[in-house]
Amino acid sequence: MREYWTSLASLLGVLAFCQSLLQVIFPPELRFASLKLFNRIFNIFSSYCYFDITEIDGVNTNELYNAVQLYLSSSVSISGSRLSLTRALNSSAITFGLSNNDSIYDSFNGVGVLWEHVVSPRQTQTFSWRPLPEEKRGFTLRIKKKDKSLILDSYLDFIMEKANDIRRKNQDRLLYTNSRGGSLDSRGHPWESVSFKHPSTFDTLAIDPEKKIEIMEDLKDFANGMSFYQKTGRAWKRGYLLYGPPGTGKSSMIAAMANYLGYDIYDLELTEVHNNSELRKLLMKTSSKSIIVIEDIDCSISLSNRNKRSNGSGSRGNCGNGNYYEPEMRCGSGSVGGEDGNNSITLSGLLNFTDGLWSCCGSEKIFVFTTNHIEKLDPALLRSGRMDMHIFMSYCSYPALLILLKNYLGYEESDLEDETLKELEDVVGKAEMTPADISEVLIKNKRDKCKAVRELLETLKVKAEKNVKHGGIIVKNSDYEEEEQEKRALESPIEGSDIEDANNCEEGDDDHEEKIK
């Protein structure tokens, strides 16, 4: 045994001596040059070329590394018994990824590529303002030399775009508001955001199925229409006008659109914006793939129809002459006007916001306006190119009623008796109740489904008889005006300023009419 250990020690000594001799004969510089020469010779005769994408580029994070990591996590060709799992900040989804020193094949336009996730210990760090990770991470892309131009020109751009889509899909939707008006925070942003958790979808939206399908197809065509908009020279944006009685689901429609497309929502409060310049700044700070919403636009600012005013007094500057570039739109909106009178939003400014040059800031944006009185809006705001699709949110119809019964009671059409269904179908159109009103009846009796259906049928019959007796149009108009007055009073930043200013405007219009007469 002693002879064995003696022989082993002698062998190790010889190896150490040979290693020392090699280091003396072949110093590190010579070995490095030899390795570099070998790699060059290998690359000359090899049909492949290699590209390294490191996690850290100097001291900054390499955006392309993160994009490749997200892209490969969505690849269906990921297989094996060892995968890494990650969950990003503000994300509710878990993504898969390549483990250390694992590889995966991918194809693009019929060209095969190989990705390898290379992880190695980092050498002793030198002085750095930013501490670096203990491990060096990166991806190595192997492609054939003949495919180099195709991959570098198109494949990497495709990966970046795909990664942005995945990141947006995994992250929670955000709801933005301009509660500070147009002022900027410490980061230079005029918008404040919260997580958008509205559960409304097109499956739960109580509108006619045919109209629902039409809207969904239009949204899908828009989201997939980048090449179409580029080919036709149009800005990649679209406008939707939602109008109809209160409580018909206009806000739920906006939430369903955002959840369907995966877009963020910018809820623009015009009463907080003082002038056109602030409006442009807000637009410039919106992101692509977003929905910009102005709810109850006829209540937040005065956008009355110029055609009607031209038939009347023609007051408020040159509105009667059809010139919407001069007059200010606010009348008792609560904004504080300056001495020069320019501290207000004009109709021209709002039109440029939706259809002018500034509306092209970013791409893939949707503008949504809501109103209870479409006839009060100026025709210039409603034309195609600004509001491309007008969607009438009507009272609850029979198909919409069936959706509500399924949502709140879990009832399918086959679960109800034919006689009950017949009565509901006959009376729901005459009752002219909104989905919100019907939902309230169902929620109140959700513990007793049979009672909920009976009470709903009785409520619909009473409402239908009342409409026939008193005239549904008169009742509806009175409800409209009452709600409009409440909104105008609540949205006034200065208590009582809207009412007083509105009265002053009306008195001014009356005096002007008397002078004309």
Side-chain angles (χ1 to χ4, degrees), residues 356-395:
L357 292 175
W358 291 101
S359 66
C360 303
C361 297
S363 60
E364 202 171 347
K365 292 183 180 180
I366 292 178
F367 294 86
V368 179
F369 292 173
T370 70
T371 179
N372 296 334
H373 297 282
I374 188 174
E375 70 278 358
K376 292 186 177 181
L377 300 184
D378 197 285
L381 191 64
L382 304 179
R383 73 166 180 82
S384 298
R386 289 164 185 153
M387 295 294 108
D388 302 287
M389 191 173 186
H390 296 189
I391 303 173
F392 176 59
M393 307 295 292
S394 62
Y395 291 102

mmCIF file of all heavy atoms in Angstrom, residues 356-395:
data_model
loop_
_atom_site.group_PDB
_atom_site.id
_atom_site.type_symbol
_atom_site.label_atom_id
_atom_site.label_comp_id
_atom_site.label_asym_id
_atom_site.label_seq_id
_atom_site.Cartn_x
_atom_site.Cartn_y
_atom_site.Cartn_z
ATOM 1 N N GLY A 356 -55.754 65.112 -35.345
ATOM 2 C CA GLY A 356 -54.720 65.959 -35.915
ATOM 3 C C GLY A 356 -53.363 65.275 -35.907
ATOM 4 O O GLY A 356 -53.230 64.069 -35.685
ATOM 5 N N LEU A 357 -52.327 66.074 -36.149
ATOM 6 C CA LEU A 357 -50.971 65.531 -36.189
ATOM 7 C C LEU A 357 -50.557 64.950 -34.843
ATOM 8 O O LEU A 357 -49.863 63.943 -34.778
ATOM 9 C CB LEU A 357 -49.989 66.631 -36.604
ATOM 10 C CG LEU A 357 -50.106 67.136 -38.053
ATOM 11 C CD1 LEU A 357 -49.150 68.294 -38.270
ATOM 12 C CD2 LEU A 357 -49.820 66.006 -39.042
ATOM 13 N N TRP A 358 -51.008 65.581 -33.749
ATOM 14 C CA TRP A 358 -50.596 65.113 -32.430
ATOM 15 C C TRP A 358 -51.245 63.789 -32.067
ATOM 16 O O TRP A 358 -50.764 63.091 -31.174
ATOM 17 C CB TRP A 358 -50.928 66.173 -31.373
ATOM 18 C CG TRP A 358 -50.080 67.395 -31.498
ATOM 19 C CD1 TRP A 358 -50.434 68.575 -32.067
ATOM 20 C CD2 TRP A 358 -48.722 67.539 -31.085
ATOM 21 N NE1 TRP A 358 -49.384 69.461 -32.027
ATOM 22 C CE2 TRP A 358 -48.317 68.846 -31.422
ATOM 23 C CE3 TRP A 358 -47.808 66.691 -30.457
ATOM 24 C CZ2 TRP A 358 -47.046 69.321 -31.145
ATOM 25 C CZ3 TRP A 358 -46.537 67.172 -30.183
ATOM 26 C CH2 TRP A 358 -46.175 68.472 -30.530
ATOM 27 N N SER A 359 -52.329 63.448 -32.728
ATOM 28 C CA SER A 359 -52.987 62.175 -32.433
ATOM 29 C C SER A 359 -52.157 60.989 -32.902
ATOM 30 O O SER A 359 -52.457 59.852 -32.556
ATOM 31 C CB SER A 359 -54.370 62.123 -33.090
ATOM 32 O OG SER A 359 -54.246 62.104 -34.508
ATOM 33 N N CYS A 360 -51.124 61.230 -33.708
ATOM 34 C CA CYS A 360 -50.289 60.146 -34.233
ATOM 35 C C CYS A 360 -49.117 59.845 -33.309
ATOM 36 O O CYS A 360 -48.229 59.074 -33.691
ATOM 37 C CB CYS A 360 -49.767 60.508 -35.624
ATOM 38 S SG CYS A 360 -51.078 60.879 -36.812
ATOM 39 N N CYS A 361 -49.067 60.453 -32.123
ATOM 40 C CA CYS A 361 -48.010 60.138 -31.160
ATOM 41 C C CYS A 361 -48.213 58.703 -30.689
ATOM 42 O O CYS A 361 -49.208 58.385 -30.049
ATOM 43 C CB CYS A 361 -48.053 61.092 -29.968
ATOM 44 S SG CYS A 361 -47.757 62.813 -30.392
ATOM 45 N N GLY A 362 -47.259 57.833 -31.008
ATOM 46 C CA GLY A 362 -47.451 56.426 -30.711
ATOM 47 C C GLY A 362 -48.310 55.788 -31.791
ATOM 48 O O GLY A 362 -48.594 56.365 -32.838
ATOM 49 N N SER A 363 -48.714 54.572 -31.563
ATOM 50 C CA SER A 363 -49.519 53.854 -32.546
ATOM 51 C C SER A 363 -50.451 52.899 -31.818
ATOM 52 O O SER A 363 -50.317 52.677 -30.609
ATOM 53 C CB SER A 363 -48.618 53.074 -33.515
ATOM 54 O OG SER A 363 -47.836 52.128 -32.817
ATOM 55 N N GLU A 364 -51.388 52.363 -32.569
ATOM 56 C CA GLU A 364 -52.352 51.385 -32.041
ATOM 57 C C GLU A 364 -53.078 51.955 -30.826
ATOM 58 O O GLU A 364 -53.060 51.413 -29.731
ATOM 59 C CB GLU A 364 -51.643 50.085 -31.694
ATOM 60 C CG GLU A 364 -52.587 48.884 -31.654
ATOM 61 C CD GLU A 364 -51.861 47.560 -31.534
ATOM 62 O OE1 GLU A 364 -50.630 47.543 -31.726
ATOM 63 O OE2 GLU A 364 -52.526 46.551 -31.284
ATOM 64 N N LYS A 365 -53.742 53.089 -31.054
ATOM 65 C CA LYS A 365 -54.518 53.730 -29.995
ATOM 66 C C LYS A 365 -55.984 53.782 -30.386
ATOM 67 O O LYS A 365 -56.324 53.947 -31.554
ATOM 68 C CB LYS A 365 -54.001 55.149 -29.729
ATOM 69 C CG LYS A 365 -52.615 55.201 -29.118
ATOM 70 C CD LYS A 365 -52.203 56.629 -28.821
ATOM 71 C CE LYS A 365 -50.815 56.679 -28.201
ATOM 72 N NZ LYS A 365 -50.382 58.064 -27.906
ATOM 73 N N ILE A 366 -56.824 53.671 -29.380
ATOM 74 C CA ILE A 366 -58.274 53.733 -29.570
ATOM 75 C C ILE A 366 -58.806 54.894 -28.742
ATOM 76 O O ILE A 366 -58.478 55.031 -27.559
ATOM 77 C CB ILE A 366 -58.936 52.410 -29.153
ATOM 78 C CG1 ILE A 366 -58.543 51.288 -30.118
ATOM 79 C CG2 ILE A 366 -60.453 52.548 -29.105
ATOM 80 C CD1 ILE A 366 -59.116 49.937 -29.745
ATOM 81 N N PHE A 367 -59.619 55.735 -29.371
ATOM 82 C CA PHE A 367 -60.303 56.823 -28.685
ATOM 83 C C PHE A 367 -61.760 56.425 -28.484
ATOM 84 O O PHE A 367 -62.426 56.011 -29.441
ATOM 85 C CB PHE A 367 -60.224 58.122 -29.486
ATOM 86 C CG PHE A 367 -58.833 58.693 -29.610
ATOM 87 C CD1 PHE A 367 -57.976 58.284 -30.622
ATOM 88 C CD2 PHE A 367 -58.370 59.615 -28.692
ATOM 89 C CE1 PHE A 367 -56.699 58.796 -30.738
ATOM 90 C CE2 PHE A 367 -57.087 60.147 -28.798
ATOM 91 C CZ PHE A 367 -56.254 59.730 -29.820
ATOM 92 N N VAL A 368 -62.238 56.539 -27.247
ATOM 93 C CA VAL A 368 -63.623 56.192 -26.929
ATOM 94 C C VAL A 368 -64.272 57.373 -26.228
ATOM 95 O O VAL A 368 -63.786 57.834 -25.193
ATOM 96 C CB VAL A 368 -63.710 54.935 -26.043
ATOM 97 C CG1 VAL A 368 -65.165 54.632 -25.707
ATOM 98 C CG2 VAL A 368 -63.073 53.734 -26.736
ATOM 99 N N PHE A 369 -65.351 57.876 -26.819
ATOM 100 C CA PHE A 369 -66.162 58.913 -26.197
ATOM 101 C C PHE A 369 -67.501 58.296 -25.807
ATOM 102 O O PHE A 369 -68.033 57.457 -26.537
ATOM 103 C CB PHE A 369 -66.406 60.086 -27.147
ATOM 104 C CG PHE A 369 -65.176 60.900 -27.456
ATOM 105 C CD1 PHE A 369 -65.221 61.909 -28.406
ATOM 106 C CD2 PHE A 369 -63.984 60.671 -26.803
ATOM 107 C CE1 PHE A 369 -64.089 62.656 -28.699
ATOM 108 C CE2 PHE A 369 -62.851 61.404 -27.089
ATOM 109 C CZ PHE A 369 -62.906 62.402 -28.032
ATOM 110 N N THR A 370 -68.028 58.720 -24.672
ATOM 111 C CA THR A 370 -69.361 58.282 -24.269
ATOM 112 C C THR A 370 -70.246 59.501 -24.027
ATOM 113 O O THR A 370 -69.758 60.558 -23.601
ATOM 114 C CB THR A 370 -69.320 57.429 -22.984
ATOM 115 O OG1 THR A 370 -68.978 58.257 -21.860
ATOM 116 C CG2 THR A 370 -68.305 56.302 -23.111
ATOM 117 N N THR A 371 -71.512 59.352 -24.302
ATOM 118 C CA THR A 371 -72.468 60.437 -24.091
ATOM 119 C C THR A 371 -73.866 59.849 -23.963
ATOM 120 O O THR A 371 -74.162 58.785 -24.512
ATOM 121 C CB THR A 371 -72.433 61.450 -25.256
ATOM 122 O OG1 THR A 371 -73.405 62.477 -25.021
ATOM 123 C CG2 THR A 371 -72.748 60.777 -26.578
ATOM 124 N N ASN A 372 -74.701 60.553 -23.246
ATOM 125 C CA ASN A 372 -76.113 60.185 -23.161
ATOM 126 C C ASN A 372 -76.955 60.916 -24.189
ATOM 127 O O ASN A 372 -78.107 60.549 -24.428
ATOM 128 C CB ASN A 372 -76.657 60.486 -21.758
ATOM 129 C CG ASN A 372 -75.988 59.646 -20.687
ATOM 130 O OD1 ASN A 372 -75.498 58.554 -20.961
ATOM 131 N ND2 ASN A 372 -75.947 60.166 -19.468
ATOM 132 N N HIS A 373 -76.393 61.967 -24.802
ATOM 133 C CA HIS A 373 -77.138 62.783 -25.771
ATOM 134 C C HIS A 373 -76.251 63.035 -26.980
ATOM 135 O O HIS A 373 -75.509 64.016 -27.018
ATOM 136 C CB HIS A 373 -77.569 64.116 -25.151
ATOM 137 C CG HIS A 373 -78.524 63.962 -23.999
ATOM 138 N ND1 HIS A 373 -79.855 63.703 -24.169
ATOM 139 C CD2 HIS A 373 -78.308 64.011 -22.668
ATOM 140 C CE1 HIS A 373 -80.436 63.622 -22.992
ATOM 141 N NE2 HIS A 373 -79.521 63.794 -22.059
ATOM 142 N N ILE A 374 -76.314 62.176 -27.957
ATOM 143 C CA ILE A 374 -75.483 62.343 -29.141
ATOM 144 C C ILE A 374 -75.889 63.572 -29.932
ATOM 145 O O ILE A 374 -75.077 64.194 -30.617
ATOM 146 C CB ILE A 374 -75.561 61.082 -30.035
ATOM 147 C CG1 ILE A 374 -74.546 61.176 -31.174
ATOM 148 C CG2 ILE A 374 -76.971 60.857 -30.556
ATOM 149 C CD1 ILE A 374 -74.467 59.921 -32.015
ATOM 150 N N GLU A 375 -77.165 63.973 -29.821
ATOM 151 C CA GLU A 375 -77.627 65.123 -30.591
ATOM 152 C C GLU A 375 -77.029 66.430 -30.086
ATOM 153 O O GLU A 375 -77.059 67.445 -30.794
ATOM 154 C CB GLU A 375 -79.158 65.201 -30.541
ATOM 155 C CG GLU A 375 -79.759 65.591 -29.199
ATOM 156 C CD GLU A 375 -79.858 64.400 -28.234
ATOM 157 O OE1 GLU A 375 -79.486 63.280 -28.662
ATOM 158 O OE2 GLU A 375 -80.315 64.604 -27.100
ATOM 159 N N LYS A 376 -76.459 66.444 -28.887
ATOM 160 C CA LYS A 376 -75.861 67.656 -28.346
ATOM 161 C C LYS A 376 -74.424 67.868 -28.806
ATOM 162 O O LYS A 376 -73.861 68.939 -28.590
ATOM 163 C CB LYS A 376 -75.901 67.621 -26.815
ATOM 164 C CG LYS A 376 -77.303 67.731 -26.224
ATOM 165 C CD LYS A 376 -77.242 67.825 -24.716
ATOM 166 C CE LYS A 376 -78.630 67.997 -24.119
ATOM 167 N NZ LYS A 376 -78.576 68.114 -22.634
ATOM 168 N N LEU A 377 -73.812 66.845 -29.390
ATOM 169 C CA LEU A 377 -72.416 66.948 -29.799
ATOM 170 C C LEU A 377 -72.294 67.584 -31.170
ATOM 171 O O LEU A 377 -73.170 67.422 -32.029
ATOM 172 C CB LEU A 377 -71.761 65.563 -29.812
ATOM 173 C CG LEU A 377 -71.746 64.811 -28.477
ATOM 174 C CD1 LEU A 377 -70.988 63.501 -28.631
ATOM 175 C CD2 LEU A 377 -71.126 65.663 -27.376
ATOM 176 N N ASP A 378 -71.199 68.286 -31.381
ATOM 177 C CA ASP A 378 -70.966 68.954 -32.658
ATOM 178 C C ASP A 378 -70.693 67.921 -33.750
ATOM 179 O O ASP A 378 -69.971 66.942 -33.521
ATOM 180 C CB ASP A 378 -69.765 69.896 -32.529
ATOM 181 C CG ASP A 378 -69.711 70.900 -33.660
ATOM 182 O OD1 ASP A 378 -69.330 70.489 -34.781
ATOM 183 O OD2 ASP A 378 -70.043 72.064 -33.424
ATOM 184 N N PRO A 379 -71.247 68.108 -34.938
ATOM 185 C CA PRO A 379 -71.004 67.152 -36.035
ATOM 186 C C PRO A 379 -69.538 66.980 -36.382
ATOM 187 O O PRO A 379 -69.128 65.908 -36.829
ATOM 188 C CB PRO A 379 -71.783 67.758 -37.208
ATOM 189 C CG PRO A 379 -72.832 68.609 -36.580
ATOM 190 C CD PRO A 379 -72.221 69.139 -35.323
ATOM 191 N N ALA A 380 -68.719 68.029 -36.187
ATOM 192 C CA ALA A 380 -67.295 67.907 -36.494
ATOM 193 C C ALA A 380 -66.616 66.855 -35.629
ATOM 194 O O ALA A 380 -65.619 66.260 -36.027
ATOM 195 C CB ALA A 380 -66.608 69.263 -36.297
ATOM 196 N N LEU A 381 -67.156 66.607 -34.446
ATOM 197 C CA LEU A 381 -66.576 65.619 -33.552
ATOM 198 C C LEU A 381 -67.012 64.203 -33.887
ATOM 199 O O LEU A 381 -66.383 63.242 -33.464
ATOM 200 C CB LEU A 381 -66.969 65.956 -32.110
ATOM 201 C CG LEU A 381 -66.258 65.212 -30.984
ATOM 202 C CD1 LEU A 381 -64.786 65.542 -30.977
ATOM 203 C CD2 LEU A 381 -66.885 65.560 -29.652
ATOM 204 N N LEU A 382 -68.067 64.068 -34.662
ATOM 205 C CA LEU A 382 -68.677 62.761 -34.895
ATOM 206 C C LEU A 382 -68.315 62.149 -36.235
ATOM 207 O O LEU A 382 -68.655 60.995 -36.487
ATOM 208 C CB LEU A 382 -70.206 62.878 -34.809
ATOM 209 C CG LEU A 382 -70.768 63.467 -33.508
ATOM 210 C CD1 LEU A 382 -72.283 63.544 -33.579
ATOM 211 C CD2 LEU A 382 -70.331 62.636 -32.317
ATOM 212 N N ARG A 383 -67.649 62.891 -37.095
ATOM 213 C CA ARG A 383 -67.420 62.375 -38.441
ATOM 214 C C ARG A 383 -66.409 61.240 -38.426
ATOM 215 O O ARG A 383 -65.654 61.052 -37.463
ATOM 216 C CB ARG A 383 -66.953 63.490 -39.364
ATOM 217 C CG ARG A 383 -65.526 63.956 -39.125
ATOM 218 C CD ARG A 383 -65.035 64.812 -40.287
ATOM 219 N NE ARG A 383 -63.678 65.289 -40.119
ATOM 220 C CZ ARG A 383 -62.611 64.578 -40.385
ATOM 221 N NH1 ARG A 383 -62.734 63.317 -40.781
ATOM 222 N NH2 ARG A 383 -61.392 65.091 -40.226
ATOM 223 N N SER A 384 -66.373 60.477 -39.526
ATOM 224 C CA SER A 384 -65.442 59.364 -39.658
ATOM 225 C C SER A 384 -64.006 59.881 -39.624
ATOM 226 O O SER A 384 -63.700 60.952 -40.130
ATOM 227 C CB SER A 384 -65.687 58.621 -40.974
ATOM 228 O OG SER A 384 -66.988 58.081 -41.008
ATOM 229 N N GLY A 385 -63.139 59.084 -39.044
ATOM 230 C CA GLY A 385 -61.765 59.509 -38.823
ATOM 231 C C GLY A 385 -61.550 59.983 -37.411
ATOM 232 O O GLY A 385 -60.438 59.926 -36.892
ATOM 233 N N ARG A 386 -62.626 60.477 -36.790
ATOM 234 C CA ARG A 386 -62.577 60.837 -35.374
ATOM 235 C C ARG A 386 -63.345 59.802 -34.569
ATOM 236 O O ARG A 386 -62.798 59.166 -33.698
ATOM 237 C CB ARG A 386 -63.148 62.241 -35.169
ATOM 238 C CG ARG A 386 -62.212 63.305 -35.733
ATOM 239 C CD ARG A 386 -62.865 64.647 -35.898
ATOM 240 N NE ARG A 386 -61.953 65.595 -36.542
ATOM 241 C CZ ARG A 386 -62.335 66.618 -37.258
ATOM 242 N NH1 ARG A 386 -63.630 66.855 -37.442
ATOM 243 N NH2 ARG A 386 -61.448 67.415 -37.810
ATOM 244 N N MET A 387 -64.616 59.645 -34.896
ATOM 245 C CA MET A 387 -65.411 58.580 -34.309
ATOM 246 C C MET A 387 -65.830 57.658 -35.454
ATOM 247 O O MET A 387 -66.820 57.920 -36.150
ATOM 248 C CB MET A 387 -66.636 59.153 -33.585
ATOM 249 C CG MET A 387 -66.296 60.020 -32.375
ATOM 250 S SD MET A 387 -65.513 59.073 -31.040
ATOM 251 C CE MET A 387 -63.815 59.665 -31.156
ATOM 252 N N ASP A 388 -65.058 56.603 -35.689
ATOM 253 C CA ASP A 388 -65.284 55.740 -36.850
ATOM 254 C C ASP A 388 -66.499 54.848 -36.687
ATOM 255 O O ASP A 388 -67.152 54.494 -37.659
ATOM 256 C CB ASP A 388 -64.045 54.862 -37.090
ATOM 257 C CG ASP A 388 -62.789 55.701 -37.294
ATOM 258 O OD1 ASP A 388 -62.663 56.303 -38.373
ATOM 259 O OD2 ASP A 388 -61.955 55.753 -36.378
ATOM 260 N N MET A 389 -66.801 54.469 -35.461
ATOM 261 C CA MET A 389 -67.894 53.527 -35.220
ATOM 262 C C MET A 389 -68.790 54.072 -34.117
ATOM 263 O O MET A 389 -68.331 54.323 -32.999
ATOM 264 C CB MET A 389 -67.339 52.159 -34.829
ATOM 265 C CG MET A 389 -68.359 51.048 -34.818
ATOM 266 S SD MET A 389 -67.572 49.425 -34.541
ATOM 267 C CE MET A 389 -68.981 48.340 -34.749
ATOM 268 N N HIS A 390 -70.050 54.285 -34.448
ATOM 269 C CA HIS A 390 -71.036 54.745 -33.479
ATOM 270 C C HIS A 390 -71.804 53.537 -32.955
ATOM 271 O O HIS A 390 -72.431 52.812 -33.727
ATOM 272 C CB HIS A 390 -71.998 55.745 -34.109
ATOM 273 C CG HIS A 390 -71.333 57.012 -34.561
ATOM 274 N ND1 HIS A 390 -72.046 58.113 -34.998
ATOM 275 C CD2 HIS A 390 -70.024 57.374 -34.636
ATOM 276 C CE1 HIS A 390 -71.198 59.073 -35.332
ATOM 277 N NE2 HIS A 390 -69.969 58.644 -35.121
ATOM 278 N N ILE A 391 -71.754 53.329 -31.649
ATOM 279 C CA ILE A 391 -72.374 52.158 -31.029
ATOM 280 C C ILE A 391 -73.491 52.640 -30.112
ATOM 281 O O ILE A 391 -73.243 53.321 -29.115
ATOM 282 C CB ILE A 391 -71.350 51.335 -30.237
ATOM 283 C CG1 ILE A 391 -70.202 50.903 -31.148
ATOM 284 C CG2 ILE A 391 -72.002 50.120 -29.604
ATOM 285 C CD1 ILE A 391 -69.062 50.224 -30.415
ATOM 286 N N PHE A 392 -74.710 52.284 -30.461
ATOM 287 C CA PHE A 392 -75.862 52.668 -29.650
ATOM 288 C C PHE A 392 -76.073 51.630 -28.556
ATOM 289 O O PHE A 392 -76.317 50.456 -28.826
ATOM 290 C CB PHE A 392 -77.114 52.780 -30.515
ATOM 291 C CG PHE A 392 -78.365 53.071 -29.724
ATOM 292 C CD1 PHE A 392 -78.461 54.215 -28.950
ATOM 293 C CD2 PHE A 392 -79.441 52.191 -29.752
ATOM 294 C CE1 PHE A 392 -79.602 54.488 -28.216
ATOM 295 C CE2 PHE A 392 -80.588 52.453 -29.030
ATOM 296 C CZ PHE A 392 -80.672 53.605 -28.260
ATOM 297 N N MET A 393 -75.954 52.060 -27.315
ATOM 298 C CA MET A 393 -76.182 51.191 -26.161
ATOM 299 C C MET A 393 -77.640 51.350 -25.758
ATOM 300 O O MET A 393 -78.025 52.317 -25.104
ATOM 301 C CB MET A 393 -75.239 51.566 -25.019
ATOM 302 C CG MET A 393 -73.768 51.603 -25.413
ATOM 303 S SD MET A 393 -73.121 49.993 -25.896
ATOM 304 C CE MET A 393 -73.176 49.140 -24.334
ATOM 305 N N SER A 394 -78.449 50.391 -26.161
ATOM 306 C CA SER A 394 -79.896 50.508 -26.010
ATOM 307 C C SER A 394 -80.347 49.908 -24.684
ATOM 308 O O SER A 394 -79.553 49.360 -23.912
ATOM 309 C CB SER A 394 -80.593 49.788 -27.162
ATOM 310 O OG SER A 394 -80.272 48.406 -27.144
ATOM 311 N N TYR A 395 -81.667 50.031 -24.461
ATOM 312 C CA TYR A 395 -82.260 49.367 -23.311
ATOM 313 C C TYR A 395 -82.133 47.859 -23.463
ATOM 314 O O TYR A 395 -81.823 47.342 -24.536
ATOM 315 C CB TYR A 395 -83.734 49.762 -23.173
ATOM 316 C CG TYR A 395 -83.939 51.198 -22.766
ATOM 317 C CD1 TYR A 395 -84.308 52.163 -23.695
ATOM 318 C CD2 TYR A 395 -83.762 51.596 -21.440
ATOM 319 C CE1 TYR A 395 -84.499 53.486 -23.319
ATOM 320 C CE2 TYR A 395 -83.957 52.912 -21.055
ATOM 321 C CZ TYR A 395 -84.324 53.853 -22.004
ATOM 322 O OH TYR A 395 -84.503 55.151 -21.626
#
